[in-house]
Amino acid sequence: MALHPTGPRGRDGILAAIETELRGRGYDGASMADLSEATGLGKSSLYHHFPGGKPQMVAACAEAVQARLAARLAAVTCVSCPHEKLVALFGAFNAYFEGGTRMCLMTLMATSSAAEALRPVLASNIAATIATIAAIVTEGGIDPTLARQRAEEAFAQVQGAVLMGQATGNTDLFRRLVDGLPQGLLKPV
Amino acid sequence: MALHPTGPRGRDGILAAIETELRGRGYDGASMADLSEATGLGKSSLYHHFPGGKPQMVAACAEAVQARLAARLAAVTCVSCPHEKLVALFGAFNAYFEGGTRMCLMTLMATSSAAEALRPVLASNIAATIATIAAIVTEGGIDPTLARQRAEEAFAQVQGAVLMGQATGNTDLFRRLVDGLPQGLLKPV
DNA sequence: ACGTCCCAACCGAACGATCGGTACATTATT
DNA sequence: AATAATGTACCGATCGTTCGGTTGGGACGT
């Protein structure tokens, strides 16, 4: 049977190349020709793996991202105190956003022409990430309702900082947030 | 001379239609045919007004946005206390973002294929907005350096909230921020 | 061991549609 | 009459997508 061995690089490698291209050019900016070149596969081969075309590729990438976040989280949960967990988690964010220079796949796709079709996938991924943050903050002794609000606001802040970094070329704000949010989130009422 | 009276609607009306289309479909998602239909002008007429094509249209829209912000600000500066100024300013943001349902033109363009060419315009507009917020916060008795940091973080938070609204369809976070930030920004150290 | 059948993986070439952009004629304004 | 503003018709290029065909390895019957 085997779920797609797919050549030397494997399906994961194909998805990684697609994700990089999408995050670099955006949904409407990345053409099938671009994705073909990025993956090293002919366009018809891409349609073999993803009969649904570009939307299915995005959905598959989103699932891969969510899986990677879950794996990161599993490695984080064995850390002792909530503050260190948050430091590790925001370190993972820093890596994912490549220091604030690379957009989030979900929010990028949310502003595309396929946003409506992709909304369930995007919303699910974002909700999972926020729930992860909120759980750690709650564990740190913050009221669950407040923890959720803080998590949402922190998430928005990070996303906005990346956006501003794209617009201005300055990643100072992003770095300041990634450094400061772990303790800011846990600050007592 | 006259800077383009341009038919019954005038240049401002053309720019408004273009801006709406761009904020609805994104830079790469809005084709010249879309913009032609939105403005009611033939493609060649659009090129008559904007020989530089889509990038020039974006730049012109950005200038119009900045001008509208300046006008709003002029109406705000006659208000007495800083808190009320912030309330008025964030009310203007709320209107511009249409309750969190519509993206910011600048940050949207920042993730497009024309981002590099447009960076100076986008960065200038964003810097002006942040400076506006920071000035009012400073006026409210906050240390200028801290005021600037708070302004940057609030701006990022709002932008991120809009992004999340696009992704999830939920504008609660945006509304909470617009309501709460005016007093949050002025909170004493 | 050998032939053969199957099917996932892949590619080149082409499809109609649409892309951004232009040439040129026409209408409106001054 | 001159100039700005607009429409019609079109350009080559590229878009997303599909078609027909090749390859190669694993399963199966003998």
Side-chain angles (χ1 to χ4, degrees):
Chain A
M1 42 159 311
L3 275 187
H4 315 238
T6 300
R9 214 182 15 249
R11 180 179 167 98
D12 288 350
I14 295 178
L15 281 179
I18 292 176
E19 185 192 330
T20 300
E21 200 70 7
L22 285 174
R23 290 176 67 187
R25 299 184 188 269
Y27 182 88
D28 295 296
S31 71
M32 291 300 299
D34 292 330
L35 298 173
S36 171
E37 190 181 1
T39 57
L41 265 57
K43 287 197 282 182
S44 45
S45 302
L46 283 177
Y47 274 95
H48 173 71
H49 291 285
F50 309 99
K54 244 200 279 185
Q56 184 178 348
M57 298 181 200
V58 175
C61 285
E63 289 176 17
V65 169
Q66 201 164 23
R68 289 209 308 269
L69 176 69
R72 287 264 196 179
L73 188 60
V76 160
T77 43
C78 62
V79 180
S80 51
C81 76
H83 179 263
E84 283 185 20
K85 285 185 186 177
L86 284 179
V87 169
L89 188 61
F90 278 81
F93 289 163
N94 186 49
Y96 176 67
F97 289 108
E98 297 182 17
T101 61
R102 202 128 200 154
M103 280 288 293
C104 166
L105 178 69
M106 311 305 147
T107 52
L108 235 192
M109 299 299 107
T111 63
S112 77
S113 60
E116 218 166 319
L118 294 170
R119 179 162 299 173
V121 190
L122 309 179
S124 148
N125 273 31
I126 291 175
T129 304
I130 291 178
T132 297
I133 304 174
I136 302 179
V137 174
T138 302
E139 189 186 344
I142 307 294
D143 172 74
T145 303
L146 178 60
R148 168 160 205 91
Q149 286 189 2
R150 285 189 181 181
E152 287 173 359
E153 289 161 18
F155 185 84
Q157 218 162 23
V158 169
Q159 296 284 352
V162 177
L163 214 41
M164 288 172 56
Q166 294 283 319
T168 65
N170 187 318
T171 60
D172 289 349
L173 174 60
F174 176 84
R175 276 199 282 264
R176 195 204 315 158
L177 288 175
V178 167
D179 288 349
L181 277 175
Q183 73 181 40
L185 280 166
L186 292 173
K187 196 178 57 180
V189 289
Chain B
M1 42 156 314
L3 276 187
H4 314 244
T6 300
R9 214 181 16 250
R11 179 180 168 99
D12 288 350
I14 294 179
L15 281 179
I18 292 176
E19 186 192 331
T20 300
E21 200 70 7
L22 285 175
R23 289 176 68 188
R25 299 184 189 268
Y27 183 87
D28 294 297
S31 70
M32 291 302 299
D34 292 330
L35 297 172
S36 172
E37 189 181 2
T39 56
L41 265 56
K43 285 198 288 179
S44 51
S45 302
L46 283 176
Y47 275 96
H48 172 72
H49 291 286
F50 309 99
K54 243 199 281 184
Q56 185 178 348
M57 298 182 199
V58 175
C61 284
E63 288 177 18
V65 168
Q66 200 164 23
R68 288 209 310 270
L69 175 69
R72 287 265 196 177
L73 187 61
V76 160
T77 43
C78 61
V79 180
S80 51
C81 76
H83 179 263
E84 283 185 20
K85 286 184 186 177
L86 284 179
V87 169
L89 188 61
F90 277 81
F93 289 164
N94 186 48
Y96 175 68
F97 289 109
E98 297 182 18
T101 61
R102 204 128 198 152
M103 280 288 293
C104 166
L105 179 68
M106 310 306 146
T107 52
L108 235 192
M109 299 300 107
T111 63
S112 77
S113 60
E116 217 166 319
L118 294 169
R119 180 162 298 172
V121 190
L122 308 180
S124 148
N125 273 31
I126 291 176
T129 305
I130 291 178
T132 298
I133 304 175
I136 302 179
V137 174
T138 302
E139 188 187 345
I142 307 294
D143 171 75
T145 303
L146 177 59
R148 169 159 204 92
Q149 287 190 2
R150 285 189 180 181
E152 288 173 358
E153 290 161 16
F155 185 84
Q157 219 163 20
V158 169
Q159 296 283 354
V162 177
L163 215 41
M164 287 173 57
Q166 294 282 320
T168 65
N170 188 318
T171 60
D172 289 349
L173 173 60
F174 176 84
R175 277 198 283 265
R176 195 203 316 156
L177 288 175
V178 167
D179 288 349
L181 277 175
Q183 71 182 42
L185 280 166
L186 291 173
K187 196 178 56 180
V189 289

